[in-house]
Amino acid sequence: MGTLSPPPPPQVRDLPAPCLAPRPLLTPHVGAPSPGERRQAGGAGAGARGRAGPGPAALWGSSLQRRLPQGIIIGVRKGGTRALLEMLALHPQVAAARAEVHFFNREENYRRGLGWYRQQMPLSHPGQLTVEKTPGYFSSPRAPERVRAMDPAVRLLLIVRDPVERLVSDYTQILHNRRARCKPYPPLERLLLRGDRGLDTRYKAIQRSLYALQLARWLAAFPSAHIHVVDGGGLIREPLPELRRVEQFLGLAPSLGPNNFYFNQTKGFYCLRAGARQRCLDESKGRPHPPIAEQLLEQLCTYFSAHNEHFFSLVGRTFNWC
C-alpha cells in the first residue's frame, strides 16, 4: 500500500477533517442503476422480454432494496463522523445513508418503527453493507438498548478526538448558527465558569466529551468486539491506516488507497478523490475556533484527565490528548 506524504501541522480548527462535501456523496453506490435504468427495471422494456431476457437494469431492479443498517457510526458529535462516513461511501461494498436519521435517540422517530427507519436507508444490493451515522446516538441513554433490540450483531463505529477540542468545536458550531440567525450567544468562558466555583460541568458540551460515561452504557448492551474506536486525530493526519482498520472491522475487502486522497494546501487538510472527481468539505467544516483563554483550556484539560484515563482503560488504547 502506498503512503501519503505528511502534511504540515494543521491549525486548530473546528474538525480539520478530510475535506468532503456532506452531500451529495462523491460517488454513486456501486451497482446502483441510473434513473433511466430504474425506469427500465420498472417495466419500460416489457416489449423486449421475449427477445433478450432481462438486462442488467432489470436485475438491478430486482435486487436493489432498502435494508436496515449493518453498521452505525454512533458518535461522537464534532468528532469526525461526517468525514468518516464520506470516506466509507467511496468503498464499493458500502451503501451510506446521506442524512442523520436520529431514529434511536428521538422519540417521535422511534415511535414510527423499524419500517420507517428502513425507508430512510439507501438502496443497496445484497453484497453491500448499509451504514448510517447519527452522532447523537452515543450520548443518548436509550439508544444502546434500542440498537441492540434491532440487531445485537450490528457493528458500531465510534470516532473520538481530544475532548477539549471537541468541546470547543461544539461551542463554535452553536456560536456560528446563532450568529447566522442574528442571535446573541455568550462567550465560552461565561458558559463554562461559575465564578469562584470553577467549571460548570453540567454544560452539555462538557457532558458530551465524557466519553467513558457514554461508552459504559454501550458496553452494557454490546460486547467490546462489536464497537470499533476510530482515532479522529489519526484519521486527519494519516487517513489510510485508520481506514484499513475500519475496513477490517466491518468485514470489507481493502479498497481505499492513496489515490483516493490528496492534500489541499489552501485548506490545510486532506480532500477525497474518486476517479477524475474530487471534492472537499464545505465551509462549515474546518471552521477556525474563537480565541479561548489559555487558563481555561488548562482547567478543561485537568478536568478531563481522569475521565480520559478511564476511557483509555475501557477501549484498551491511549490517545495523545491534552
Side-chain angles (χ1 to χ4, degrees):
M1 182 179 70
T3 58
L4 300 172
S5 56
Q11 300 177 358
V12 176
R13 292 173 177 267
D14 177 16
L15 184 56
C19 32
L20 323 164
R23 290 181 290 274
L25 299 178
L26 188 56
T27 57
H29 306 307
V30 171
S34 67
E37 290 168 332
R38 286 196 184 96
R39 287 193 293 272
Q40 284 183 322
R49 290 195 189 107
R51 296 196 300 270
L59 295 176
W60 270 331
S62 63
S63 63
L64 275 172
Q65 58 181 280
R66 303 186 192 277
R67 296 172 170 85
L68 291 172
Q70 301 101 326
I72 303 177
I73 301 173
I74 59 174
V76 300
R77 172 181 161 121
K78 305 307 296 178
T81 57
R82 170 55 60 179
L84 178 58
L85 182 73
E86 294 282 351
M87 286 186 278
L88 282 176
L90 293 178
H91 198 291
Q93 292 175 267
V94 170
R98 296 170 183 266
E100 295 178 5
V101 184
H102 292 280
F103 178 66
F104 298 105
N105 65 324
R106 290 185 179 172
E107 296 301 318
E108 64 272 24
N109 290 338
Y110 192 69
R111 284 196 294 265
R112 294 174 174 177
L114 287 176
W116 178 87
Y117 184 46
R118 182 184 285 108
Q119 289 304 308
Q120 312 313 305
M121 297 301 112
L123 290 167
S124 64
H125 56 77
Q128 288 184 298
L129 184 83
T130 299
V131 177
E132 80 116 327
K133 76 102 176 173
T134 300
Y137 292 159
F138 185 55
S139 59
S140 168
R142 295 187 175 183
E145 288 297 338
R146 287 175 171 180
V147 174
R148 179 178 172 80
M150 177 196 72
D151 182 3
V154 69
R155 284 158 279 186
L156 307 172
L157 290 166
L158 173 67
I159 180 168
V160 294
R161 65 189 295 198
D162 185 308
V164 176
E165 290 183 6
R166 196 223 65 80
L167 183 156
V168 178
S169 290
D170 204 333
Y171 167 81
T172 301
Q173 176 173 292
I174 297 172
L175 175 67
H176 176 82
N177 292 341
R178 298 278 293 193
R179 286 178 173 174
R181 299 194 300 269
C182 298
K183 294 184 177 181
Y185 200 62
L188 182 58
E189 289 86 345
R190 192 184 306 169
L191 294 170
L192 282 176
L193 297 175
R194 299 180 295 174
D196 296 334
R197 294 178 292 171
L199 292 173
D200 184 355
T201 57
R202 299 168 301 174
Y203 180 48
K204 284 186 178 180
I206 285 185
Q207 292 293 311
R208 294 189 189 109
S209 285
L210 300 177
Y211 303 151
L213 178 66
Q214 325 293 347
L215 181 59
R217 287 196 291 259
W218 288 90
L219 290 175
F222 290 93
S224 59
H226 287 212
I227 304 174
H228 178 72
V229 178
V230 180
D231 179 2
L235 192 71
I236 304 316
R237 294 185 299 270
E238 191 69 26
L240 288 180
E242 287 295 328
L243 286 174
R244 282 288 177 263
R245 286 187 280 269
V246 171
E247 287 174 326
Q248 184 178 13
F249 171 73
L250 294 177
L252 303 172
S255 177
L256 300 177
N259 291 337
N260 291 116
F261 301 89
Y262 69 97
F263 190 77
N264 186 304
Q265 294 288 344
T266 301
K267 291 180 174 291
F269 42 84
Y270 285 105
C271 298
L272 288 195
R273 180 186 292 120
R277 300 184 63 197
Q278 57 190 37
R279 192 182 301 278
C280 289
L281 273 173
D282 65 11
E283 293 181 357
S284 68
K285 307 299 182 183
R287 187 184 293 124
H289 292 170
I292 308 296
E294 190 66 29
Q295 183 178 358
L296 177 57
L297 294 177
E298 291 176 2
Q299 284 182 266
L300 289 168
C301 287
T302 299
Y303 173 75
F304 283 118
S305 177
H307 294 282
N308 292 344
E309 292 297 327
H310 186 196
F311 178 72
F312 299 160
S313 69
L314 290 176
V315 300
R317 64 185 295 194
T318 60
F319 299 90
N320 187 25
W321 295 339
C322 69

